[in-house]
Amino acid sequence: MILMTSNARKILVTSALPYANAPLHLGHMLEQVQTDIWVRFQRSRGHQCLYVCADDAHGTAIMLSAEAAGVTPEAHIDAVKSDHLRDSTGFLIGFDQYYSTHSEENRQWSERIFQKLDAAGHISVREIIQAYDQEKGLFLADRFIKGTCPRCKAADQYGDNCEVCGATYSPSDLIDPVSALSGSAPVDRASDHLFFKLGDFTELLTTWTRAGSLQPAVANKLGEWIEAGLQDWDISRDAPYFGFEIPGYPDKYFYVWLDAPIGYMASFQRFCAEHDEDFDAWWQPDSQTELYHFIGKDIVNFHGLFWPAMLRASGLRLPTAIFAHGFLTVDGTKMSKSRGTFIKASTYLDHLDPEHLRYYFAAKLSAGVDDFDLNLSDFVQRVNSDLVGKVVNIASRCAGFLRKNFDNKLSDECDEPDLVRSFIDAGDGIAELYENREFGRAMRDIIALADRANQYIDDKKPWVMAKDPEQVDDVQAVCSVGINLFRVLMTYLKPVLPGMAERAEAFLKISTDWHELQAPLLGHTLEDFKPLLQRVDPDSVTAMIESGKVS
C-alpha cells in the first residue's frame, strides 16, 4: 500500500511494448528496469505512480509465426505474453497493468482516434506500388524481401539495409530480389493505402519538440525531420494481416505502429476498470496528471512526432515527457548469439540474481541516449564490491554484536546524531538525481555514503571494544549508529533493489519508504540478521554465456 503525501503527484508511466513474436532479452530488461526504478522511486516518495505496459501483438510477422507453428495468432500471442510477463516478473518489474494491443479497448480507441483524424481531414487515400508474393498471396514488407546489395554486392541482404556495408535502400534497388517467405521473385502490384497527413501538424510539433519534453539530442534529431518536411505516414496494410480492420475500408488494417502507442491508453483503461480509477481525468488536455514514456532511441519518431500529433487531433493530452535510452552492448560489442552475448532474460534468470543486474544497470544509467555496455567482468566486480562488500557489510558487522550482547535492541539514544542527520539530509540531492534519471550519479553518492559508514565502524572498532567490559555499552551505541546508517542506505537503494529492501525491512522491522525517513531508530528491536544478498559467482556468468551460444 502506498501512503500518499499531501503534495502527492499523479503520474502515469509506460515503457515500450515488447513485440509478441520473440522472447525478452537483456535489451528489453534495460528499459524495463530503468522505468521500474523511476516508478518505485516516485512511489517511495509518496506519489501515486502507475506503470502500465502491454505486448505489441499485431503484424504480418506474428501472423506468419503462428501459421508456421500451426496455431492461431491469438494462441501465439497469448503464449508469448505469458513468457514475457514471467520474465519481467523475474526481474521484479512492478507493472500495475500488463495487457495486449489485441484487446477490445485498443480496438475501440484505435477506431475512435482514426475517425477523428479522418473527420478532420488528416487522412488521405492514394495508390501505391508494392512488392507482392504471388505464392503466399500477400504484400511484402521490406524485411521479407532479400537480394544482393546494390552497393557492395553482398548476397542475401534484406530489402531495407545491408548488414555487410551498412547501405540503406529500397527493395526495388536490390539485385535479383526474392521473397524471404517463398523464395519466388516478387511482382509489383498496386493497392490503395491510407495516409496520415503528418505535415498538418508541423507547427504543433515544431513547438512541442522544443518545449522541454524531450532530451536535447532527441529534440535535435526530430528537428531535422521537421525541417526536411514531414511526410505523410502510411497507416494501413492489406489483407491478410493480423490486426484491426479499418472501419469503412474493407480488407485494410491498421498498421501495427498506429495501434501500438494507443495500447498505452488501452492498458490504462483496463487498469481503471479493475481499480475504480477515472480514466478521463488522466487523458484530458487540462489534466493535472503527468504522463511519461520510456523508450529506445530507435522509436523516437513514432513517439515524438506521430503520437503527439494523433493525440492532439483526437482532443487528448500530450505526454509530459518522453525519455529515450541507447542500445545495450555486451563487452563492448553488439549482442551476438554465436558468442553467447545475445542474452535472453530467461537465460540470465536461470543463472544469476536479477538484483545484481538491476544494480549494475542503475550504476551506469544516465539521462542521456548513449549506448549502454554490460561489461561482464566489471559487473561481477562492481556488484560484489558495492553491494556485498560495502552496503550489506554494514548490517552484517553490526547485527552480530547487537544479537549476541543486546538481544537485537538498538540504543535508546543516538551517539552520532549529526552523522545520521547528514545521511538523511543527503537524500534531497539523491532524490533529485533519481527524479532526473541520473541513476549512475545517485548510486555513486549512495556508495560514497556506504564508504563513510564503513569508515565510521572501522574507526570505532566495536570488535575491539567488545573485549573490554567497560566499553560494552559503547559497542551497542556504535552498532546502533551503523544500523541507522544502513537503514538510510537501504531507503535510497529500495527503488533499485526491492527484493533486498524487503529482506532488510524484515530485519529492521520497519519500512524503508523514503517519505518515512525522518529520524534515527531509537530503542528499537531488530529481527535476527539473515543474509541479504549473495555475491556474484563468476562461474555462473560463464555458464550463462555458454548456455546462450548458438552455432
Side-chain angles (χ1 to χ4, degrees), residues 116-182:
K116 284 184 175 292
L117 296 174
D118 197 16
H122 300 306
I123 301 295
S124 64
V125 180
R126 67 173 184 266
E127 184 180 86
I128 66 171
I129 304 297
Q130 294 175 274
Y132 185 80
D133 185 327
Q134 296 182 97
E135 289 190 22
K136 293 292 292 184
L138 52 76
F139 288 97
L140 297 170
D142 293 353
R143 64 183 178 279
F144 295 131
I145 303 173
K146 285 189 171 184
T148 300
C149 172
R151 189 169 80 177
C152 74
K153 305 304 187 289
D156 202 33
Q157 298 304 306
Y158 286 101
D160 53 358
N161 72 283
C162 176
E163 294 183 345
V164 176
C165 71
T168 58
Y169 41 72
S170 65
S172 60
D173 296 326
L174 282 173
I175 301 170
D176 299 326
V178 296
S179 167
L181 305 178
S182 68

Side-chain angles (χ1 to χ4, degrees), residues 136-373:
K136 293 292 292 184
L138 52 76
F139 288 97
L140 297 170
D142 293 353
R143 64 183 178 279
F144 295 131
I145 303 173
K146 285 189 171 184
T148 300
C149 172
R151 189 169 80 177
C152 74
K153 305 304 187 289
D156 202 33
Q157 298 304 306
Y158 286 101
D160 53 358
N161 72 283
C162 176
E163 294 183 345
V164 176
C165 71
T168 58
Y169 41 72
S170 65
S172 60
D173 296 326
L174 282 173
I175 301 170
D176 299 326
V178 296
S179 167
L181 305 178
S182 68
S184 64
V187 299
D188 289 340
R189 178 170 293 190
S191 175
D192 287 340
H193 271 229
L194 285 74
F195 289 81
F196 174 37
K197 295 190 284 187
L198 189 61
D200 291 354
F201 299 88
T202 299
E203 183 176 351
L204 162 71
L205 295 172
T206 299
T207 301
W208 186 77
T209 56
R210 296 296 181 182
S213 296
L214 304 169
Q215 294 134 301
V218 173
N220 291 339
K221 184 62 180 177
L222 296 182
E224 292 176 9
W225 288 331
I226 294 172
E227 291 172 13
L230 295 172
Q231 304 299 305
D232 291 353
W233 178 36
D234 188 345
I235 61 168
S236 64
R237 293 296 184 266
D238 293 284
Y241 189 82
F242 182 60
F244 297 141
E245 193 170 30
I246 302 176
Y249 297 88
D251 292 331
K252 302 293 180 184
Y253 290 78
F254 288 124
Y255 173 44
V256 60
W257 262 110
L258 181 127
D259 66 57
I262 296 172
Y264 300 140
M265 299 174 62
S267 183
F268 185 62
Q269 184 171 358
R270 181 72 171 187
F271 171 85
C272 290
E274 295 175 350
H275 296 86
D276 196 29
E277 186 70 46
D278 183 357
F279 176 90
D280 289 338
W282 292 75
W283 284 94
Q284 294 307 305
D286 58 353
S287 174
Q288 298 303 302
T289 63
E290 303 169 44
L291 171 63
Y292 300 95
H293 301 304
F294 285 77
I295 62 169
K297 64 182 180 181
D298 55 326
I299 54 175
V300 295
N301 57 333
F302 295 107
H303 287 79
L305 297 176
F306 304 134
W307 181 228
M310 289 164 55
L311 289 170
R312 174 58 59 85
S314 306
L316 299 168
R317 59 94 42 82
L318 301 189
T320 306
I322 296 172
F323 302 138
H325 60 82
F327 300 135
L328 178 69
T329 59
V330 179
D331 284 341
T333 61
K334 184 179 179 181
M335 291 192 294
S336 164
K337 292 182 179 179
S338 64
R339 291 193 297 270
T341 56
F342 190 94
I343 304 169
K344 295 190 296 185
S346 59
T347 303
Y348 178 95
L349 292 170
D350 286 341
H351 295 89
L352 293 163
D353 188 325
E355 292 199 288
H356 292 158
L357 192 62
R358 285 180 66 103
Y359 177 75
Y360 190 74
F361 280 166
K364 295 186 67 174
L365 274 166
S366 72
V369 294
D370 295 333
D371 291 346
F372 182 106
D373 185 51

Side-chain angles (χ1 to χ4, degrees), residues 267-503:
S267 183
F268 185 62
Q269 184 171 358
R270 181 72 171 187
F271 171 85
C272 290
E274 295 175 350
H275 296 86
D276 196 29
E277 186 70 46
D278 183 357
F279 176 90
D280 289 338
W282 292 75
W283 284 94
Q284 294 307 305
D286 58 353
S287 174
Q288 298 303 302
T289 63
E290 303 169 44
L291 171 63
Y292 300 95
H293 301 304
F294 285 77
I295 62 169
K297 64 182 180 181
D298 55 326
I299 54 175
V300 295
N301 57 333
F302 295 107
H303 287 79
L305 297 176
F306 304 134
W307 181 228
M310 289 164 55
L311 289 170
R312 174 58 59 85
S314 306
L316 299 168
R317 59 94 42 82
L318 301 189
T320 306
I322 296 172
F323 302 138
H325 60 82
F327 300 135
L328 178 69
T329 59
V330 179
D331 284 341
T333 61
K334 184 179 179 181
M335 291 192 294
S336 164
K337 292 182 179 179
S338 64
R339 291 193 297 270
T341 56
F342 190 94
I343 304 169
K344 295 190 296 185
S346 59
T347 303
Y348 178 95
L349 292 170
D350 286 341
H351 295 89
L352 293 163
D353 188 325
E355 292 199 288
H356 292 158
L357 192 62
R358 285 180 66 103
Y359 177 75
Y360 190 74
F361 280 166
K364 295 186 67 174
L365 274 166
S366 72
V369 294
D370 295 333
D371 291 346
F372 182 106
D373 185 51
L374 169 57
N375 181 292
L376 294 171
S377 60
D378 181 53
F379 162 70
V380 173
Q381 188 279 329
R382 185 173 299 202
V383 172
N384 288 343
S385 173
D386 289 359
L387 295 185
V388 181
K390 296 181 179 180
V391 177
V392 173
N393 190 48
I394 299 166
S396 63
R397 296 170 90 183
C398 297
F401 291 110
L402 292 171
R403 179 184 61 80
K404 184 177 180 179
N405 300 310
F406 306 100
D407 295 327
N408 285 328
K409 187 176 180 182
L410 301 179
S411 299
D412 291 332
E413 296 182 3
C414 181
D415 213 41
E416 297 282 351
D418 291 343
L419 178 61
V420 175
R421 173 50 56 187
S422 71
F423 271 51
I424 294 174
D425 290 345
D428 289 341
I430 292 170
E432 185 176 358
L433 293 172
Y434 266 118
E435 180 71 39
N436 294 324
R437 305 174 327 286
E438 292 288 357
F439 298 161
R441 292 173 59 192
M443 296 307 104
R444 287 193 291 275
D445 284 1
I446 294 168
I447 298 305
L449 291 175
D451 286 335
R452 287 179 58 195
N454 279 295
Q455 187 61 55
Y456 166 77
I457 297 169
D458 288 342
D459 290 345
K460 294 295 183 179
K461 296 180 174 55
W463 53 90
V464 174
M465 299 163 64
K467 298 176 182 178
D468 183 350
E470 294 183 3
Q471 291 187 296
V472 170
D473 290 343
D474 294 335
V475 172
Q476 184 185 27
V478 169
C479 291
S480 296
V481 170
I483 292 297
N484 270 288
L485 300 180
F486 170 76
R487 176 208 177 190
V488 177
L489 294 173
M490 284 312 307
T491 297
Y492 299 156
L493 286 169
K494 185 175 183 178
V496 179
L497 305 169
M500 181 176 164
E502 184 176 341
R503 294 185 289 274

